[in-house]
């Protein structure tokens, strides 16, 4: 049986959607993608956590800074509080059942916030001497290098200490939650990946590997490892 992967979605003008690249990457890796529509109904969320074999937290808009005890700054973009609430509840329930969790871009950030970490609301106004983190190149192109820490799950999956990634974000994790560790950084110090320190499979990456599965084996390896962990 192929594992069922629950995938969160974005919301814009009352339309729920996700990029096809997420579902294609899951299918290519051997999983069955199921889109999770917006709700904060705890009964529904609890049943989803039972039903799915793994949770994929996708990219999207900004995260409400009240969740990490900050007021909004001018550089904060649009937020969707219902999405924050739903995803945090999903993370908590999936953890109860020890289901694998994979966060991408915003998904990496909400995973950290849900577990008690904090983040930059707006990198350009809060951190100096940055690389370009909103690339002006095709999404399949690796724009900058990251350094991967040895003896981490990410290192085990990728199999090397450096790789090129794409980059489309203005927010990023700052301090990891107590149950997470930083497993990759960019040369400017921006956190590029976090992972659980004592959890079967929990990883968040700041880049968008779903757009790179056709151009790099490293992106394929991430989805393959996640789907395999969900079996």
């Amino acid at each position: 049986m192929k594992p069922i992967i629950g995938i969160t979605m974005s919301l814009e003008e009352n339309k729920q959607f996700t990029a096809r690249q997420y579902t294609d990457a899951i299918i290519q890796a051997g999983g069955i993608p199921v889109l999770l529509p917006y709700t904060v109904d705890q009964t529904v969320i609890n049943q989803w956590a039972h039903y799915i074999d793994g949770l994929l937290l996708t990219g999207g808009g900004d995260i409400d800074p009240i969740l990490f005890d900050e007021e909004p700054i001018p550089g904060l973009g649009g937020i969707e509080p219902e999405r924050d609430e739903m995803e945090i509840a999903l993370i908590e329930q999936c953890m109860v059942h020890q289901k694998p969790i994979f966060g991408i871009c915003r998904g990496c950030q909400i995973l950290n916030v849900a577990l008690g970490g904090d983040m930059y609301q707006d990198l350009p106004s809060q951190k100096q001497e940055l690389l370009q983190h909103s690339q002006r190149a095709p999404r399949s192109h690796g724009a900058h290098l990251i350094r991967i820490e040895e003896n981490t799950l990410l290192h085990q999956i990728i199999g090397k200490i450096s790789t090129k990634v794409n980059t489309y974000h203005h927010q990023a994790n700052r301090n990891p939650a107590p149950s997470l560790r930083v497993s990759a950084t960019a040369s400017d110090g921006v956190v590029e990946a976090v992972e659980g320190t004592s959890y079967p499979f929990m990883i968040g990456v700041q880049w968008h590997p779903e757009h790179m599965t056709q151009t790099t084996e490293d992106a394929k390896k991430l989805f393959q490892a996640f789907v395999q962990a969900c079996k």
Side-chain angles (χ1 to χ4, degrees):
M1 293 288 288
K2 293 184 176 184
I4 296 171
I5 312 300
I7 302 178
T8 60
M9 295 190 284
S10 295
L11 182 68
E12 191 173 292
E13 296 181 351
N14 215 31
K15 295 178 181 179
Q16 301 177 64
F17 64 93
T18 191
R20 177 176 174 174
Q21 284 82 0
Y22 291 112
T23 55
D24 283 352
I26 292 297
I27 292 170
Q28 182 183 37
I32 297 176
V34 174
L35 301 181
L36 305 178
Y38 273 58
T39 183
V40 291
D41 185 316
Q42 192 64 49
T43 301
V44 174
I45 289 170
N46 291 351
Q47 287 192 253
W48 278 343
H50 277 284
Y51 173 70
I52 63 177
D53 297 305
L55 175 64
L56 176 60
L57 301 160
T58 61
D62 287 4
I63 293 169
D64 190 347
I66 197 68
L67 295 171
F68 46 96
D69 299 322
E70 288 188 7
E71 299 278 8
I73 65 173
L76 179 70
I79 64 170
E80 181 48 65
E82 185 180 13
R83 181 176 184 178
D84 294 336
E85 183 179 347
M86 171 184 161
E87 291 187 342
I88 290 171
L90 272 169
I91 290 165
E92 292 172 349
Q93 286 304 306
C94 284
M95 289 182 67
V96 168
H97 302 288
Q98 298 281 283
K99 301 290 178 75
I101 301 173
F102 182 20
I104 292 176
C105 198
R106 174 202 154 86
C108 177
Q109 298 158 10
I110 197 67
L111 179 61
N112 183 44
V113 169
L115 298 181
D118 65 16
M119 57 183 287
Y120 292 105
Q121 295 185 45
D122 178 52
L123 275 172
S125 63
Q126 291 184 292
K127 186 171 171 57
Q128 296 181 336
E129 299 180 4
L130 288 172
L131 297 175
Q132 184 187 80
H133 285 282
S134 293
Q135 69 187 56
R136 301 181 184 97
R139 287 181 176 267
S140 60
H141 177 70
H144 69 73
L145 288 166
I146 60 167
R147 176 170 178 81
I148 302 170
E149 297 294 326
E150 296 186 58
N151 301 313
T152 60
L153 175 60
L154 184 61
H155 182 256
Q156 178 183 327
I157 293 168
I158 302 296
K160 51 190 177 184
I161 61 170
S162 182
T163 189
K164 288 187 76 176
V165 300
N166 58 9
T167 181
Y168 291 95
H169 63 103
H170 83 107
Q171 296 193 308
N173 288 326
R174 184 167 49 203
N175 297 303
S179 58
L180 295 176
R181 65 171 293 187
V182 174
S183 52
T185 54
S187 61
D188 57 6
V190 169
V191 173
E192 291 287 338
V194 295
E195 60 187 55
T197 55
S198 58
Y199 192 84
F201 189 102
M202 177 185 286
I203 190 165
V205 300
Q206 187 57 65
W207 66 97
H208 282 271
E210 76 279 6
H211 286 287
M212 302 183 74
T213 56
Q214 303 304 313
T215 58
T216 169
E217 287 298 314
D218 292 348
K220 289 182 184 178
K221 288 177 180 178
L222 274 169
F223 284 97
Q224 289 168 350
F226 171 53
V227 171
Q228 182 63 35
C230 294
K231 289 182 178 180

